[in-house]
């Protein structure tokens, strides 16, 4: 794959995750603008995450009929259009509808991006370009939040959507330069194969672990802006967006996780360490000092990505014939956890307060640790 084509794909990956998470630091502002509750405002993230739980099936079949490049270009133009329309919305329900549309479009882009990379990269470069793709997705998660907060502070929240629309439209034009991708084969997903994988206790435990971990992670990232406003920190949208700088820890952790697992006795032990780090990170958010919570975000992301960077590797050991099903279910559980966590715990926060809310997250992560502990010995040396 030529370097300029790879750069275009990575630029697209950054923008996809920017669009997915850009509204997060704006949630308090949007709640005020449309006079809705914290839990209702958080739906702007939930409705965008939820379709990702079924994307591996729906868009995998679609890519059997259309090339990844063609689907990617079409979806990118549609995403740009929904971002631009958000500039003009006058009701929360309409904005929520646009975010739902984006939630349906983004999985098509993610599936197309990974398919194009896998089909176009030379055999010896697949691992490298996929690693770059993951790094780009993490960068996009941070840059989207940062850019939206910065733009909203100086121009207003509507301009955050419009500026991102312009960047995505430029991306759609650049994607026209990509050469056609080679045909890719897709494993047909059948209910029998899905049930067979879910009956395997090892797979099911790991799926539930990532459901719990990303559910708690997405929840804290979603409701932290409301907590910062509640504390009267005086942070504007830019200040809130900067709180997500710890997200970049995901790049470092993902690169070091395999090496760390060699030192502490395998992937399960390392993921257990991730849950312990995650639980310790929650303590940083119990107080009211902004700088402590800022540091806590780095610890939180280190714990989360220790789990997320290793779990797919464990799942992909063996069962080559069912790898598509195994990976599809992983993505489904991952984003189903994120969608659930980004919404439901908000009622606990609103009803019982911040510390009860943090306690519930600790219970969820603790459940994930207990599920992992049941795999010790079985997978420690794999």
């Amino acid at each position: 794959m030529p370097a300029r084509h790879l750069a275009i794909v990575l630029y697209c990956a950054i923008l996809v995750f920017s669009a997915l998470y850009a509204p997060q630091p704006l949630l308090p502002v949007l709640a005020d603008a449309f006079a809705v509750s914290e839990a209702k405002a958080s739906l702007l993230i939930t409705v965008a995450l939820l379709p990702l739980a079924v994307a591996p099936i729906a868009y995998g079949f679609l890519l059997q009929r259309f090339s990844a490049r063609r689907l990617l270009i079409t979806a990118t133009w549609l995403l740009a259009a929904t971002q631009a329309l958000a500039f003009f919305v006058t009701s929360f329900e309409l904005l929520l509808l646009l975010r739902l549309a984006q939630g349906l479009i983004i999985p098509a882009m993610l599936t197309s991006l990974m398919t194009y990379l896998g089909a176009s990269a030379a055999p010896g470069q697949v691992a490298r370009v996929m690693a770059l793709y993951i790094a780009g997705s993490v960068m996009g998660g941070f840059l989207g939040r940062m850019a939206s907060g910065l733009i909203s502070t100086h121009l207003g929240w509507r301009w955050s959507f419009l500026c991102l629309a312009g960047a995505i439209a430029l991306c759609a034009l650049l994607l026209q330069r990509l050469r056609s991708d080679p045909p890719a084969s897709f494993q047909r997903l059948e209910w029998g194969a899905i049930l067979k994988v879910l009956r395997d206790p090892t797979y099911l435990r790991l799926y539930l672990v990532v459901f719990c971990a990303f559910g708690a992670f997405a929840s804290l990232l979603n409701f932290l802006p409301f907590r910062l406003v509640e504390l009267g920190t005086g942070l504007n949208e830019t200040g809130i967006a900067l709180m997500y700088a710890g997200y970049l820890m995901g790049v470092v952790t993902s690169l070091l996780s395999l090496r760390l697992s060699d030192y502490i006795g395998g992937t399960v032990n390392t993921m257990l360490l991730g849950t312990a780090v995650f639980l310790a990170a929650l303590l940083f958010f119990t107080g009211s000092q902004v700088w402590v919570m800022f540091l806590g975000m780095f610890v939180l992301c280190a714990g989360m990505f220790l789990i997320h960077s290793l779990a797919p590797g464990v799942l992909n050991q063996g069962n080559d014939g069912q790898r598509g099903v195994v990976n599809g279910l992983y993505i489904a559980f991952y984003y189903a956890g994120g969608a659930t966590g980004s919404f439901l715990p908000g009622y606990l926060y609103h009803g019982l307060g911040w510390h009860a809310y943090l306690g519930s997250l600790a219970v969820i992560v603790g459940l994930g640790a207990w599920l992992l502990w049941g795999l010790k010995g079985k997978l420690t040396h794999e």
Side-chain angles (χ1 to χ4, degrees), residues 9-352:
V9 172
L10 292 178
Y11 173 62
C12 188
I14 289 172
L15 288 177
V16 172
F17 283 91
S18 293
L20 183 60
Y21 293 115
Q24 207 159 46
L26 311 182
L27 290 179
V29 173
L30 293 170
D32 287 341
F34 293 103
V36 297
S37 66
E38 294 94 335
K40 192 170 182 180
S42 69
L43 280 172
L44 293 171
I45 303 298
T46 304
V47 297
L49 289 175
L50 195 57
L52 284 160
V54 296
I57 299 174
Y59 293 107
F61 287 136
L62 193 59
L63 282 166
Q64 289 178 326
R65 295 181 174 272
F66 303 99
S67 75
R69 176 181 176 273
R70 180 179 176 186
L71 181 60
L72 181 59
I73 292 172
T74 303
T76 303
W77 278 118
L78 290 173
L79 183 62
T82 58
Q83 286 289 133
L85 288 173
F87 179 84
F88 301 100
V89 296
T90 56
S91 71
F92 180 79
E93 288 71 21
L94 183 55
L95 182 58
L96 197 63
L97 183 63
L98 288 173
R99 284 292 290 171
L100 177 60
Q102 291 175 4
L104 294 169
I105 294 166
I106 286 172
M109 295 179 68
L110 295 180
T111 309
S112 300
L113 283 169
M114 295 189 71
T115 302
Y116 185 87
L117 285 172
S120 301
Q125 293 183 331
V126 174
R128 173 178 168 269
V129 297
M130 286 299 180
L132 289 172
Y133 168 79
I134 295 297
S137 69
V138 175
M139 285 294 297
F142 169 68
L143 292 175
R145 294 174 172 106
M146 188 68 247
S148 67
L150 190 63
I151 294 169
S152 178
T153 299
H154 297 285
L155 299 175
W157 65 264
R158 294 180 184 275
W159 286 94
S160 298
F161 287 95
L162 192 61
C163 290
L164 188 53
I168 295 171
L170 174 61
C171 178
L173 293 173
L174 291 173
L175 288 171
Q176 304 280 349
R177 298 175 176 268
L178 295 181
R179 62 188 179 193
S180 297
D181 50 308
S185 60
F186 289 89
Q187 177 185 7
R188 183 171 295 277
L189 300 182
E190 299 177 352
W191 286 113
I194 293 173
L195 292 174
K196 182 179 179 180
V197 171
L198 291 177
R199 288 193 191 104
D200 188 314
T202 297
Y203 287 129
L204 184 58
R205 277 179 176 266
L206 285 170
Y207 291 145
L208 292 175
V209 166
V210 77
F211 179 93
C212 292
F214 190 58
F217 181 73
S219 185
L220 187 57
L221 266 60
N222 222 38
F223 292 104
L224 180 61
F226 296 107
R227 175 60 173 172
L228 294 170
V229 172
E230 178 188 356
L231 290 172
T233 59
L235 291 177
N236 56 23
E237 297 96 308
T238 302
I240 292 174
L242 278 171
M243 294 295 292
Y244 294 96
Y247 203 80
L248 297 175
M249 193 71 180
V251 177
V252 179
T253 305
S254 298
L255 294 174
L256 296 179
S257 58
L258 281 173
R259 185 177 300 178
L260 182 60
S261 69
D262 292 335
Y263 283 103
I264 63 174
T267 53
V268 173
N269 283 344
T270 310
M271 286 190 285
L272 278 169
L273 175 62
T275 61
V277 172
F278 197 128
L279 288 169
L282 294 178
L283 296 174
F284 286 76
F285 297 93
T286 57
S288 58
Q289 293 179 300
V290 173
W291 70 271
V292 174
M293 289 187 279
F294 178 80
L295 293 177
M297 189 63 75
F298 285 86
V299 182
L300 181 78
C301 293
M304 176 63 210
F305 283 98
L306 273 179
I307 301 167
H308 179 42
S309 63
L310 292 173
V314 176
L315 288 167
N316 279 276
Q317 293 171 352
N319 284 320
D320 291 345
Q322 295 180 331
R323 189 162 291 174
V325 177
V326 169
N327 290 330
L329 286 171
Y330 176 83
I331 296 172
F333 274 85
Y334 184 84
Y335 284 107
T340 304
S342 65
F343 176 62
L344 285 182
Y347 289 105
L348 190 60
Y349 172 31
H350 184 72
L352 298 179

